[in-house]
Amino acid sequence: MDLVPALEEPLRQPLKSVLGPATAKVMAEHLGLLTVGDLLHHYPRRYEERGQLTHLADLPMDEHVTVVAQVADARLHSFASAKAPRGKGQRLEVTITDGSGRLQLVFFGAGVHKPHKELLPGTRAMFAGKVSVFNRRLQLAHPAYELLRGDPEESVETWAGALIPIYPATAKLESWKIGKAIQTVLPTAQEAVDPLPGTLREGRGLVPLPEALLKIHRPHTKADIEDARSRLKWDEAFVLQVALARRRHADAQLPAVPRKPAPEGLLTAFDARLPFTLTDGQQRVSREIFDDLATDHPMHRLLQGEVGSGKTMVALRAMLAVVDAGGQAAMLAPTEVLAQQHHRSVVEMMGELAEGGMLGGAEQATKVVLLTGSMGAAARRHALLDLTTGEAGIVIGTHALIEDKVQFHDLGLVVVDEQHRFGVEQRDALRGKGKQPPHLLVMTATPIPRTVAMTVFGDLETSVLDQLPAGRSPIASHVVPAADKPHFLSRAWERVREEVENGHQAYVVCPRIGDEEDDPKKSGKKKSAEDEAEKRPPLAVLDVADQLTKGPLQGLRVEVLHGRMHPDDKDAVMRRFAAGETHVLVATTVIEVGVNVPNATAMVIMDADRFGVSQLHQLRGRVGRGSAPGLCLLVTEMPEASPARQRLGAVASTLDGFELSRIDLEQRREGDVLGQAQSGARTSLKVLAVIEDEEIIAEAREEATAVVANDPELTRLPALRTALDALLDEEREQYLEKG
């Protein structure tokens, strides 16, 4: 939040640089720090106390680390090598300790002279380098180091207790160099203009911004760090929530056509046809939606529901209400497979009510059309005509619905399925097709913890469906450790055969397709350390299907499904599977959302450790959709103690998606979860943790809503306005909530 000219001063300038040109260049290229303000907002990751040292015992492999330790001993060795054949090669080995463990440092060649003079036993220093293993021992080769010399005036106690900030650093710029650069610009922190309204700051006992910046970079006590972090968390939460509150406020000013369902119309006729009663949750959420649809500004609602909680039913009733009121409704699905599936199930649920204008159609009926990119020209022309004339009340499609050629007669509601797969630009393009902004309902089966919903989807009101409809069966989940216990995997295939013998069907899911384009050996991508460790590419659909048909599932009808098949082939495979003609479907994650085959009771997920927690939960939701219990087997070769196995254990232990999304969020870094939530933002969250700081986010949202209601343009709060401009690229403020 670069608030005033002193803080907006570039670190690198042609005539006078704040820092040395080389340092400024590395900061810009590797850390994205361009101005004095950026540097002041580059906060320490943690603090070391000189007397209480880093645990050398816990060092992560292959990571760039900074440790504070004491030299235990140093030995200079000579050796012969190609470059120094007469035994003139030199190697300096230094052992450092922190009381918890020991670590070897190695220096070679001409690089040994300086450390040989400086790193004497008993010397304390900060060391930075990449952790590697040599002869089964951890080591740092050629680490950078900074000696820690107490100021002669300082007493030993003060020196030992001082807090050393450790900054997020890079191999090109060590933590202490960043620290020195920050000390250079720290006096300008006095000029930071405070974005928090005075009343809010005083009411919550928060320190002023200049003081918070001083305390985070130069703390004297742990209480200083606490004060600074509490204050800076509020900045991040509040400025973000103000941006979202302004978006909600602006949306509330837009005009929309109120859509109230006609009495005894299409919705009433549909409800009368239903062979079951809606759950209490479905009725409650439907009421929230109908209340929103009846107002004269656009609904913006996020509908979260566990896999199989009946979201589609709620969305369909909302669409029927809009058709009743004379409008049209569009449902946007992320894939063609899903759009076709939604179309089929909506037409089945509506029966004769979906046969508007046809012989045998009911009196209140409307037309339900499908529009996807791969449709033939004639069918497409026909569908487009039905939309323009208003003949079709409901259209279901992929992003083909957004194309310029698509015109609606009177678009009243847009339903977006699986929001996280759609960009906001696409959503807004569809909304632009209404005479006035249509109402918007966004659905997701990925449970989102409340605070993430407030941060990522902060401009949407949220409804949650948390009950499963009657008749849904429980799903048993088990981890299958294929490397430790190969017989467990053999048993998994026997279980699949047993399900098929009992008249059911199964899915086998793999992370990769397995055709040429997909082969990681052929794509020049650099492998991650994890892949290197595993030494084999993820299992592929085409290979696994082949092995299963020749081996453990011989004699069963096995088919494959993946994203690169022709849409007609995909649809044909899905139809055969839905009709029960195929026993086992070997697929990629194309089946992750929306695929509904109640007779499929078993799922085997190969290389399950390659999928995220939420994705595994989504996939598992494809079984147990009928009256027979579901079974999900998570196959992995990862060792028992690994984090990946713990993650799989968590998935197997609970069916509660909200609990899993919390685990997921705690295990992943915040940024991955927020994804593009702050698209256009220069600073992502640095001190705010969306799970731990739930209270701050909720309070900041309340404060922000009140501030924006009183002063939508923030005319009385110029410093807050400036902070907001720094957070957002002006023209992209409306895209803040890119999920």
Side-chain angles (χ1 to χ4, degrees), residues 191-449:
E191 298 178 45
V193 180
D194 206 321
L196 291 192
T199 48
L200 187 159
R201 200 179 67 232
E202 285 146 26
R204 296 188 174 275
L206 299 169
V207 300
L209 182 58
E211 188 182 328
L213 291 171
L214 280 170
K215 282 183 167 175
I216 198 123
H217 293 298
R218 292 196 73 167
H220 294 299
T221 62
K222 289 184 176 166
D224 283 353
I225 299 171
E226 214 32 63
D227 285 351
R229 288 178 66 84
S230 308
R231 164 58 216 248
L232 296 166
K233 282 180 177 189
W234 256 94
D235 274 17
E236 287 180 7
F238 181 69
V239 177
L240 186 57
Q241 291 300 335
V242 166
L244 293 164
R246 291 188 72 213
R247 165 109 194 210
R248 288 195 300 276
H249 185 270
D251 282 343
Q253 311 310 308
L254 293 172
V257 181
R259 310 281 178 175
K260 291 183 180 163
E264 304 307 312
L266 185 57
L267 180 62
T268 315
F270 175 76
D271 284 348
R273 284 179 52 93
L274 285 179
F276 50 82
T277 336
L278 296 173
T279 65
D280 295 347
Q282 284 175 316
Q283 290 177 0
R284 182 192 75 249
V285 171
S286 289
R287 278 196 300 278
E288 290 171 354
I289 291 171
F290 292 151
D291 289 348
D292 282 359
L293 290 174
T295 61
D296 54 9
H297 59 82
M299 163 171 84
H300 287 103
R301 191 166 280 281
L302 171 69
L303 172 56
Q304 289 195 64
E306 275 288 15
V307 179
S309 57
K311 291 184 301 298
T312 313
M313 172 61 72
V314 169
L316 176 55
R317 292 183 74 241
M319 295 198 287
L320 297 174
V322 168
V323 175
D324 255 353
Q328 290 167 293
M331 185 183 224
L332 217 55
T335 63
E336 294 209 350
V337 167
L338 194 51
Q340 287 161 339
Q341 175 113 13
H342 274 320
H343 181 254
R344 265 201 302 277
S345 61
V346 164
V347 169
E348 273 165 28
M349 284 195 277
M350 287 176 64
E352 69 214 28
L353 296 174
E355 295 169 2
M358 294 185 238
L359 270 174
E363 186 190 338
Q364 306 95 326
T366 185
K367 211 174 201 181
V368 180
V369 300
L370 175 69
L371 189 65
T372 63
S374 63
M375 281 167 80
R380 190 177 169 76
R381 252 198 323 275
H382 208 85
L384 289 172
L385 187 65
D386 284 343
L387 289 185
T388 315
T389 58
E391 185 82 10
I394 294 177
V395 56
I396 296 169
T398 54
H399 54 268
L401 281 175
I402 299 167
E403 289 170 12
D404 292 344
K405 290 195 279 279
V406 181
Q407 296 299 323
F408 290 84
H409 175 64
D410 178 14
L411 181 62
L413 171 67
V414 175
V415 178
V416 179
D417 193 19
E418 287 308 321
Q419 147 69 15
H420 59 285
R421 310 219 166 181
F422 270 99
V424 168
E425 292 93 334
Q426 293 169 304
R427 212 168 74 187
D428 283 2
L430 188 56
R431 275 161 57 173
K433 292 185 177 294
K435 294 190 175 77
Q436 284 192 326
H439 299 281
L440 174 70
L441 180 65
V442 169
M443 300 198 295
T444 176
T446 308
I448 304 166

Side-chain angles (χ1 to χ4, degrees), residues 491-723:
R491 176 72 189 119
W493 301 127
E494 284 170 22
R495 283 292 288 111
V496 169
R497 293 193 83 98
E498 286 163 17
E499 289 299 310
V500 172
E501 280 158 19
N502 290 332
H504 297 301
Q505 292 157 279
Y507 298 100
V508 176
V509 182
C510 304
R512 206 163 58 89
I513 297 172
D515 50 17
E516 287 313 303
E517 284 173 73
D518 205 59
D519 191 337
K521 288 199 281 291
K522 300 207 166 64
S523 77
K525 272 206 206 122
K526 213 167 164 291
K527 287 191 176 152
S528 73
E530 204 169 307
D531 281 354
E532 281 294 348
E534 286 165 342
K535 288 288 187 277
R536 70 163 175 77
L539 292 171
V541 166
L542 302 177
D543 306 340
V544 169
D546 188 47
Q547 288 158 15
L548 291 176
T549 39
K550 291 175 181 163
L553 302 185
Q554 203 171 3
L556 300 187
R557 287 192 295 280
V558 177
E559 287 208 68
V560 299
L561 179 71
H562 59 75
R564 278 209 284 276
M565 289 165 63
H566 186 279
D568 292 350
D569 298 340
K570 277 195 269 195
D571 197 40
V573 168
M574 270 320 295
R575 279 174 189 278
R576 286 195 292 275
F577 190 64
E581 294 164 24
T582 306
H583 295 137
V584 179
L585 187 61
V586 182
T588 55
T589 54
V590 288
I591 60 151
E592 179 187 350
V593 279
V595 172
N596 184 25
V597 179
N599 191 44
T601 52
M603 175 177 284
V604 180
I605 303 179
M606 306 303 290
D607 276 345
D609 47 272
R610 312 266 180 145
F611 299 96
V613 170
S614 300
Q615 205 172 22
L616 291 169
H617 182 59
Q618 285 280 324
L619 287 164
R620 168 171 65 183
R622 302 297 118 216
V623 296
R625 299 176 79 87
S627 51
L631 172 69
C632 177
L633 302 173
L634 306 166
V635 179
T636 176
E637 292 185 358
M638 296 304 269
E640 196 165 353
S642 62
R645 270 285 282 281
Q646 289 164 4
R647 208 169 61 228
L648 296 179
V651 174
S653 68
T654 177
L655 290 172
D656 180 340
F658 286 93
E659 177 54 32
L660 286 174
S661 68
R662 278 188 89 88
I663 293 169
D664 196 15
L665 190 51
E666 281 158 8
Q667 291 198 343
R668 286 156 57 181
R669 292 194 314 283
E670 223 90 271
D672 303 343
V673 179
L674 296 180
Q676 303 272 239
Q678 294 142 282
S679 175
R682 270 198 251 168
T683 91
S684 60
L685 302 184
K686 292 174 180 159
V687 280
L688 192 72
V690 281
I691 283 286
E692 292 156 33
D693 298 323
E694 182 163 352
E695 227 168 273
I696 294 179
I697 293 170
E699 289 172 18
R701 182 180 167 110
E702 268 174 48
E703 294 272 11
T705 308
V707 163
V708 171
N710 289 331
D711 183 5
E713 289 305 310
L714 308 178
T715 38
R716 297 191 292 282
L717 296 165
L720 176 56
R721 180 74 244 191
T722 314

